Amino acid sequence: MAGFLLRRIGGIAVTLLVTSFLVFGSVHLAPGDPASFLLGGRSASPAAVAAIKAQYHLDDPFLVQYTKWIGGVVTGDFGKSATFRQDVGGLIAARLPTTLLLIGYAGVLILVGGLAFGALAALRRGVVDRAVLVGTGIATATPSFVAAIGLISLFSVQLGWFPAFGNGGGFGDRIYHLTLPAAALALTFVGLLARVTRTSMLEELGREHVEVARSRGVPGSDVVRRHVLRNALGPITTVTGTIVAGLLVATSIVETAFGLSGVGQLLVSSVTVKDFPVVQAVSLLVVLAFVTANLVVDLVHPLIDPRLSHAKGGGA
């Protein structure tokens, strides 16, 4: 297990190194002068252009520029925003709590809804199963921005139950303001997790040890809890890596739709105005979050299914 962990950490380090190189190098692939690109195409005085070149070491060789930039990133210095004239790290830190709370809220909805609907479909074959399949199919096919528009139209405009915009103030008010955004963000992934849960549980329900437990008179709830759901958690845990990746991407769309001051909205606005230092930093942090989440999944999976731990131990 220790060898597996070291290999995974090494893989993460290589992934981040390659990603950082590509993210940094993309500014030099843009047409025109990198200084003009970093200025977002805005006209600037020679002094301003010289300041940008000095700040990003544009007169140095490319590898020297990259080495200085990645050295700053390692110490938490992502540079200054060309639009906000502030440290990029400070801009992200100010918006990170909103994004983390939104993803956490959506994650709870995904786990509760996905597991509940998936288990219901697996245990209630027939009309209920077909209804869940239709509902989850629609949910999976609904983009986040379409869900956002529909939820705002129904629950904000027509019913007036929830606010359509803003972060709110205080924990309770923020949860209230984030209810619709979290629902829009979670909808697609509830459908995905429900389908994976249903398939996994149906596979376990057909196994011999489940039939033996039933024939011995073990109560149905105990059979489901001890022998079905417990063994079905492997595929469910695996798909969470895909869900995390989707959440990181969809957050930008949802935060923009609901006017939330989060990291996703910062990324969208920075791309629009070509604030490349912010785009670089957020892109790198998204990749870091994704590979970290997959590492956690890889570490948790053997705890759920010990056979995987033995396999990895044998492979090491």
Side-chain angles (χ1 to χ4, degrees):
M1 189 64 183
F4 167 74
L5 181 59
L6 289 175
R7 288 195 299 272
R8 291 292 287 118
I9 293 176
I12 288 176
V14 172
T15 300
L16 291 176
L17 187 63
V18 173
T19 301
S20 67
F21 187 84
L22 295 175
V23 166
F24 181 81
S26 58
V27 68
H28 294 271
L29 298 177
D33 181 35
S36 299
F37 184 79
L38 288 169
L39 286 167
R42 298 180 293 273
S43 59
S45 65
V49 174
I52 285 291
K53 287 186 176 182
Q55 179 180 347
Y56 294 98
H57 312 285
L58 296 180
D59 290 329
D60 293 334
F62 174 76
L63 290 179
V64 175
Q65 296 178 39
Y66 170 74
T67 301
K68 291 180 178 179
W69 176 75
I70 196 64
V73 168
V74 171
T75 60
D77 181 9
F78 293 96
K80 280 193 174 183
S81 166
T83 302
F84 296 96
R85 308 297 181 187
Q86 300 178 27
D87 289 336
V88 174
L91 288 172
I92 294 175
R95 291 161 173 77
L96 191 58
T98 296
T99 298
L100 292 178
L101 186 58
L102 173 61
I103 291 177
Y105 195 171
V108 172
L109 296 179
I110 292 168
L111 284 177
V112 174
L115 292 177
F117 285 119
L120 183 65
L123 298 175
R124 297 290 185 268
R125 306 302 303 280
V127 176
V128 174
D129 183 27
R130 288 193 293 271
V132 171
L133 284 176
V134 171
T136 55
I138 295 173
T140 305
T142 304
S144 297
F145 72 92
V146 174
I149 293 172
L151 291 172
I152 290 173
S153 176
L154 177 60
F155 292 103
S156 294
V157 177
Q158 297 185 26
L159 299 176
W161 290 356
F162 296 97
F165 301 99
N167 294 10
F171 182 76
D173 192 44
R174 294 183 76 180
I175 292 294
Y176 176 58
H177 276 75
L178 290 178
T179 296
L180 290 187
L185 184 60
L187 182 62
T188 296
F189 304 106
V190 168
L192 173 62
L193 185 60
R195 284 176 166 258
V196 172
T197 300
R198 173 186 177 274
T199 301
S200 185
M201 288 188 64
L202 286 177
E203 182 178 348
E204 293 299 326
L205 283 168
R207 294 192 181 277
E208 183 178 353
H209 68 278
V210 174
E211 298 296 335
V212 171
R214 284 174 170 170
S215 66
R216 291 179 175 177
V218 178
S221 59
D222 290 341
V223 171
V224 171
R225 186 176 65 255
R226 295 179 182 176
H227 302 285
V228 178
L229 184 58
R230 188 175 184 180
N231 292 328
L233 287 178
I236 295 171
T237 304
T238 301
V239 81
T240 56
T242 303
I243 291 176
V244 169
L247 285 174
L248 293 173
V249 174
T251 298
S252 300
I253 301 171
V254 171
E255 287 182 355
T256 303
F258 286 93
L260 301 176
S261 297
V263 176
Q265 189 274 338
L266 176 65
L267 175 62
V268 171
S269 62
S270 298
V271 169
T272 302
V273 300
K274 299 180 180 179
D275 193 346
F276 204 73
V278 176
V279 177
Q280 285 179 320
V282 175
S283 299
L284 197 58
L285 290 176
V286 167
V287 174
L288 175 61
F290 174 65
V291 296
T292 301
N294 277 275
L295 174 62
V296 172
V297 170
D298 285 343
L299 294 177
V300 170
H301 210 165
L303 300 178
I304 297 173
D305 189 349
R307 292 171 298 180
L308 292 175
S309 179
H310 296 319
K312 288 172 181 174

